[in-house]
Amino acid sequence: DGHGQELPHTIDASDGRMVAVLEWMASLPATAAMADVGCGSGRFLMHLAKQFAETELTGIDPCSALLDRLPPSVRKHQGNLLRTNLPDATFDAAFAVESLEHCLVAKRGVAELCRIVRPGGGVLVIDKHRSKQALSECEPWERWFHPHELTEWLEPFCHEVSIEPVSHREGLRGE
C-alpha cells in the first residue's frame, strides 16, 4: 500500500481530463450511481463530490491507504480493473482515468468496467495514446493504447463508442 505517495492527490478543474469527466458527468442523471475505478487518492472524486451532491459516488482502488483519502461522501470499495468484486450492473456509470495503462490484461479490464455498469449506462475511459509512449517516462510494465484497440474492446458491451482526444494540460483539449 506504500505506492500512494507517488500519485498526484489533486487535479486542477481546468485540466482537460477533469473537464472531460465533468462534461460526461453532466450528461448522466443527477441521482446516478457512479464508480471511479482505479480512483487512487480520489483527485477526480473530490471535484465530483462538490459538484454532483445527489450522485452516489464510489471510489474503487486496490490500495486501502488511498481509499482512506477519499471525501467522506464517497463510498469506498477495494478492488481493481480485473476484479472489482462487485455484482453485475451495480452502477449507472463508471469511469477509469489513466488506470487501464496499469492493468495487466487491459481488454479484460475494459470488460470488467463494462460488467459493473447497468445496460444502457455510461462508460468513460481516459488513458494515454500509444504513439506518445516512447516520448514519455513511464514504468516499463505500463501499456498505452491506440484508440482502435479501446474501440474494439468497448464495442461488444457498448451501444455507442466514440473517441475524443483529451489534453493533460490545464485548459487545453486534444493535445
Side-chain angles (χ1 to χ4, degrees):
D1 280 1
H3 74 280
Q5 286 80 23
E6 304 167 13
L7 296 176
H9 302 297
T10 61
I11 187 164
D12 192 278
S14 66
D15 183 291
R17 296 165 293 177
M18 190 72 241
V19 170
V21 171
L22 289 170
E23 288 175 359
W24 176 73
M25 285 289 297
S27 72
L28 300 174
T31 57
M34 196 280 310
D36 179 354
V37 184
C39 67
S41 59
R43 61 189 181 144
F44 290 91
L45 290 167
M46 288 178 202
H47 287 275
L48 298 177
K50 291 176 190 170
Q51 295 185 39
F52 298 93
E54 293 181 49
T55 303
E56 181 185 300
L57 300 171
T58 300
I60 301 171
D61 200 86
C63 179
S64 61
L66 292 176
L67 291 172
D68 288 341
R69 297 179 186 169
L70 298 183
S73 63
V74 174
R75 294 178 182 198
K76 300 157 183 66
H77 183 80
Q78 198 162 3
N80 62 55
L81 266 171
L82 290 178
R83 186 174 293 135
T84 61
N85 299 313
L86 290 163
D88 292 356
T90 299
F91 301 100
D92 298 307
F95 73 96
V97 179
E98 296 177 352
S99 52
L100 193 61
E101 68 197 51
H102 303 286
C103 189
L104 294 176
V105 187
K107 182 177 180 179
R108 276 190 40 213
V110 168
E112 179 69 359
L113 188 65
C114 294
R115 184 189 69 74
I116 63 171
V117 173
R118 293 179 182 112
V123 173
L124 175 68
V125 176
I126 298 175
D127 225 305
K128 298 178 184 110
H129 196 292
R130 176 80 176 154
S131 67
K132 310 253 182 181
Q133 188 167 5
L135 308 172
S136 304
E137 288 186 28
C138 60
E139 298 295 334
W141 44 263
E142 282 185 24
R143 184 172 181 289
W144 298 7
F145 312 97
H146 289 288
H148 71 86
E149 290 177 281
L150 287 176
T151 299
E152 288 173 12
W153 299 337
L154 286 164
E155 281 179 337
F157 307 101
C158 301
H159 174 68
E160 181 181 322
V161 176
S162 64
I163 302 285
E164 180 183 332
V166 175
S167 174
H168 283 216
R169 293 185 292 188
E170 295 178 10
L172 300 175
R173 303 231 2 172
E175 292 188 19

